[in-house]
């Protein structure tokens, strides 16, 4: 009888030990995150405006920026699209290049309905307009990365299968360049660091962010 | 018989000892700052397609200090231990609205819980902030964050995060961030907090927090381990509507009583 009791007690203890080690809270203590930071490294366009341009289909648009700080851990590029008359089935392809070398690509098929569709507030020509305050920020990211020094050139390519309205940066001193007649898109491994095609009428707004801790 | 008695005693003692280890204490009264309680889908229920938090003000927002930058934020934070155990790479997927004073930025920030370092972030706008007339002063402002795109069957990853702030209907801003489809939606809480590891001291604020989804949400005890590095003095009430599609909770303080009417002179 005593043997059976001790055996039962041993089983209970074994299960208790298994439970303790299976409980996530008994694992090694995770580290507290750094908190909601306002100190990211931001370069690229300011993005606060509401000016948009109709991006044509079958055109690759390339916009490049030179980083003025060290880039580390991640690079995130954002192309802003106005949720305005986006045709069903529209494909958006983004490519991210670091010093001309393909780092990442991302494809989207934007599908509505959108909670807050954008509306045109005023027009400044056939293909340029000011919109209400609603946008979709499509990202293409490279992470984790090593460290890139100031002066690193980050380029973003964009291609759409049907025209969409994208945010532009009228005050930018940077130009976007376009290559027309690209019926289907797949990102190339390398792009030139200077002019890629012809200058676009408007500079596409591209947000760029990296770690700032 | 005596052997049986001691055996039972050993078992009871063993169970009591094990319960101290296994069942950690739950605190349910100090719902302040970064500790508002949590909301989650049901056990075994499908992953919700979206889960939103909506903060509807009835008293305007003001603060006396919020070091280091005098900024405050609405944070939508996942549970720390759940993230550590179940999130991709043990990451912590945080979304938030940063308030510069009637001017906001929308952000998604992801941290590694192994190193504490930021592994991904996207903030809109990348520079400056979006002005929203009377966002803080207006007593009926609405702040909204929705994490969406999860598929109940087999794809638990957040595909987009919709942000919106509105003071009066003509003053609104909205933006949607499409992060990499890497991180899952997990049980979460909200936090009216500072930024950059700081603690905000709010002087006035009040309203209702609503958490909504296409799946029933359940209130669960506040986390033992607080996720975010920020804090504040914002008080939160108990949840109502747990187990339904919409849960509610008060935040802040009731508005001060109106001043008494002027005393009537004796002649009237």
């Amino acid at each position: 009888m005593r043997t059976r009791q001790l055996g039962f007690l041993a089983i209970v203890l074994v299960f208790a030990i298994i439970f303790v080690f299976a409980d996530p809270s008994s694992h090694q203590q995770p580290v507290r995150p750094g908190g909601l930071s306002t100190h990211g490294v931001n370069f690229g366009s300011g993005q606060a405006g509401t000016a948009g341009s109709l991006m044509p289909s079958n055109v690759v648009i390339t916009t490049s920026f030179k980083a003025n700080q060290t880039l580390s851990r991640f690079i995130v590029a954002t192309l802003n699209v106005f949720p305005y008359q986006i045709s069903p089935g529209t494909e958006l392809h983004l490519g991210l290049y670091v010093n001309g070398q393909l780092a990442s690509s991302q494809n989207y098929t934007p599908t509505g309905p959108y909670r807050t569709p954008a509306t045109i507030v005023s027009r400044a020509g056939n293909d340029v307009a000011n919109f209400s305050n609603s946008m979709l920020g499509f990202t293409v990211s490279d992470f984790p990365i090593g460290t890139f020094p100031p002066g690193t050139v980050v380029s973003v390519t964009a291609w759409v299968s049907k025209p969409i309205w994208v945010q532009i940066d009228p005050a930018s001193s940077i130009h976007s360049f376009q290559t027309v007649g690209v019926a289907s898109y797949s990102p190339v491994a390398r792009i030139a660091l200077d002019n890629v095609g012809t200058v676009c009428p408007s500079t596409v707004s591209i947000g760029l962010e990296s770690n700032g801790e | 018989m005596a052997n049986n008695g001691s055996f039972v005693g050993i078992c009871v003692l063993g169970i009591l000892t094990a319960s101290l280890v296994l069942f950690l204490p739950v605190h349910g009264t100090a719902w302040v700052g970064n500790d508002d309680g949590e909301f989650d889908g049901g056990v075994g229920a499908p992953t919700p397609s979206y889960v939103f938090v909506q903060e509807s003000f009835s008293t305007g927002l003001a603060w006396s200090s919020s070091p280091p930058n005098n900024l405050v934020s609405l944070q939508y934070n996942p549970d720390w231990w759940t993230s550590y155990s179940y999130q991709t790479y043990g990451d912590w997927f945080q979304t938030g609205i940063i308030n510069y004073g009637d001017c906001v930025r929308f952000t998604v920030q992801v941290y590694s819980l192994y190193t504490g370092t930021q592994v991904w972030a996207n903030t809109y706008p990348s520079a400056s902030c979006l002005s929203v007339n009377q966002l803080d002063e207006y007593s009926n402002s609405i702040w909204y964050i929705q994490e969406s795109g999860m598929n109940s069957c087999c794809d638990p990853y957040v595909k987009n995060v919709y942000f919106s702030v509105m003071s009066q209907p003509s003053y609104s801003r909205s933006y949607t961030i499409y992060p990499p489809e890497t991180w899952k939606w997990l049980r979460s809480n909200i936090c009216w907090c500072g930024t950059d590891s700081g603690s905000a001291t709010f002087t006035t604020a009040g309203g209702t927090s609503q958490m909504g989804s296409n799946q029933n949400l359940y209130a669960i005890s506040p986390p033992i381990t607080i996720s975010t590095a920020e804090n504040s003095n914002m008080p939160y009430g108990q949840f109502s509507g747990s187990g339904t599609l919409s849960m509610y909770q008060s935040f802040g303080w009731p508005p001060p009583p109106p001043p008494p009417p002027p005393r009537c002179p004796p002649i009237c």
Side-chain angles (χ1 to χ4, degrees):
Chain A
M1 184 67 179
R2 191 174 185 80
T3 308
R4 291 178 64 186
Q5 288 170 348
L6 285 172
F8 179 74
L9 190 58
I11 290 169
V12 168
L13 284 173
V14 165
F15 272 99
I17 289 167
I18 289 170
F19 257 94
V20 166
F21 282 99
D23 178 18
S25 60
S26 67
H27 292 171
Q28 182 189 359
Q29 179 87 353
V31 179
R32 169 168 282 204
L36 196 73
S37 172
T38 60
H39 298 297
V41 170
N42 296 111
F43 60 110
S45 307
Q47 295 188 298
T50 56
S53 177
L54 188 63
M55 180 177 168
S57 59
N58 301 335
V59 172
V60 177
I61 294 182
T62 305
T63 313
S64 300
F65 296 87
K66 189 175 286 187
N68 55 7
Q69 297 179 63
T70 299
L71 309 179
S72 64
R73 295 189 191 145
F74 60 87
I75 300 172
V76 180
T78 306
L79 173 77
N80 288 324
V81 173
F82 292 97
Y84 177 79
Q85 295 184 347
I86 299 176
S87 301
T90 299
E91 291 180 29
L92 167 64
H93 294 233
L94 298 175
L96 178 67
Y97 293 80
V98 178
N99 290 331
Q101 188 78 36
L102 179 66
S104 181
S105 63
Q106 186 73 48
N107 302 334
Y108 294 96
T109 305
T111 51
Y114 300 100
R115 189 177 176 90
T116 311
T119 56
I120 287 183
V121 175
S122 63
R123 279 194 178 269
N126 285 338
D127 294 338
V128 179
N130 284 303
F131 286 83
S132 56
N133 295 308
S134 178
M135 271 185 277
L136 313 172
F138 293 100
T139 65
V140 56
S141 318
D142 187 19
F143 71 104
I145 62 169
T147 300
F148 291 93
T152 298
V153 177
V154 178
S155 308
V156 177
T157 59
W159 177 93
V160 288
S161 61
K162 297 175 185 176
I164 58 172
W165 288 88
V166 299
Q167 186 189 31
I168 57 172
D169 186 359
S172 177
S173 58
I174 302 276
H175 291 295
S176 295
F177 295 88
Q178 60 184 2
T179 304
V180 300
V182 182
S184 65
Y185 177 77
S186 62
V188 295
R190 282 198 65 84
I191 59 170
L193 285 180
D194 46 7
N195 301 352
V196 185
T198 57
V199 175
C200 293
S202 304
T203 301
V204 173
S205 177
I206 299 289
L208 290 166
E209 185 162 351
S210 184
N211 174 63
E213 293 176 336
Chain B
M1 195 66 180
N3 280 347
N4 282 346
S6 60
F7 171 71
V8 169
I10 289 169
C11 282
V12 169
L13 276 174
I15 289 168
L16 283 173
T17 308
S19 69
L20 285 173
V21 175
L22 296 173
F23 301 104
L24 297 168
V26 171
H27 57 115
T29 54
W31 291 31
V32 176
N34 55 20
D35 191 359
D36 82 312
E38 293 190 324
F39 46 96
D40 196 3
V43 176
T47 303
S49 299
Y50 64 88
V51 183
F52 70 79
V53 297
Q54 177 172 289
E55 307 294 291
S56 303
F57 278 81
S58 56
T59 304
L61 179 71
W63 61 97
S64 59
S65 69
S66 185
N69 301 313
N70 204 34
L71 310 176
V72 298
S73 64
L74 167 64
Q75 301 181 13
Y76 182 164
N77 296 323
D79 181 83
W80 195 18
W81 284 110
T82 308
S83 297
Y84 185 69
S85 301
Y86 300 109
Q87 186 55 275
T88 311
Y89 310 127
D91 286 343
W92 191 69
F93 179 86
Q94 173 187 42
T95 62
I97 300 174
I98 302 167
N99 184 3
Y100 291 70
D102 292 340
C103 198
V104 296
R105 297 174 83 192
F106 306 125
T107 188
V108 174
Q109 301 187 10
V110 186
Y111 290 86
S112 165
L113 293 180
Y114 295 105
T115 63
T117 55
Q118 199 176 69
V119 297
W120 193 91
N122 189 227
T123 305
Y124 174 80
S126 55
S128 73
C129 55
L130 300 168
S131 176
V132 185
N133 194 26
Q134 293 194 312
L135 178 65
D136 298 337
E137 299 86 344
Y138 190 57
S139 59
N140 291 314
S141 294
I142 295 174
W143 299 47
Y144 187 97
I145 305 174
Q146 177 170 310
E147 298 180 1
S148 302
M150 300 80 79
N151 184 313
S152 59
C153 125
C154 37
D155 183 0
Y157 300 101
V158 176
K159 293 181 180 56
N160 61 77
V161 184
Y162 171 83
F163 301 88
S164 174
V165 289
M166 184 181 75
S167 53
Q168 298 164 56
S170 55
Y171 303 126
S172 67
R173 299 278 187 169
S174 60
Y175 189 75
T176 305
I177 292 177
Y178 289 76
E181 296 175 15
T182 303
W183 299 286
K184 306 166 194 169
W185 188 87
L186 299 172
R187 70 169 58 175
S188 298
N189 61 5
I190 64 116
C191 168
W192 280 103
C193 275
T195 66
D196 301 292
S197 303
S199 182
T201 302
F202 293 101
T203 51
T204 66
T208 303
S209 291
Q210 179 188 1
M211 293 81 182
S213 176
N214 66 321
Q215 300 284 345
N216 289 338
L217 295 176
Y218 295 85
I220 53 181
S221 295
I224 300 301
T225 308
I226 299 302
S227 306
T228 189
E230 285 79 31
N231 208 343
S232 79
N233 63 334
M234 183 73 80
Y236 306 95
Q238 300 288 325
F239 284 111
S240 62
S242 177
T244 68
L245 299 180
S246 284
M247 284 171 44
Y248 296 88
Q249 175 188 44
S250 65
F251 67 91
W253 301 270
R263 295 182 68 179
C264 204
I267 193 160
C268 68

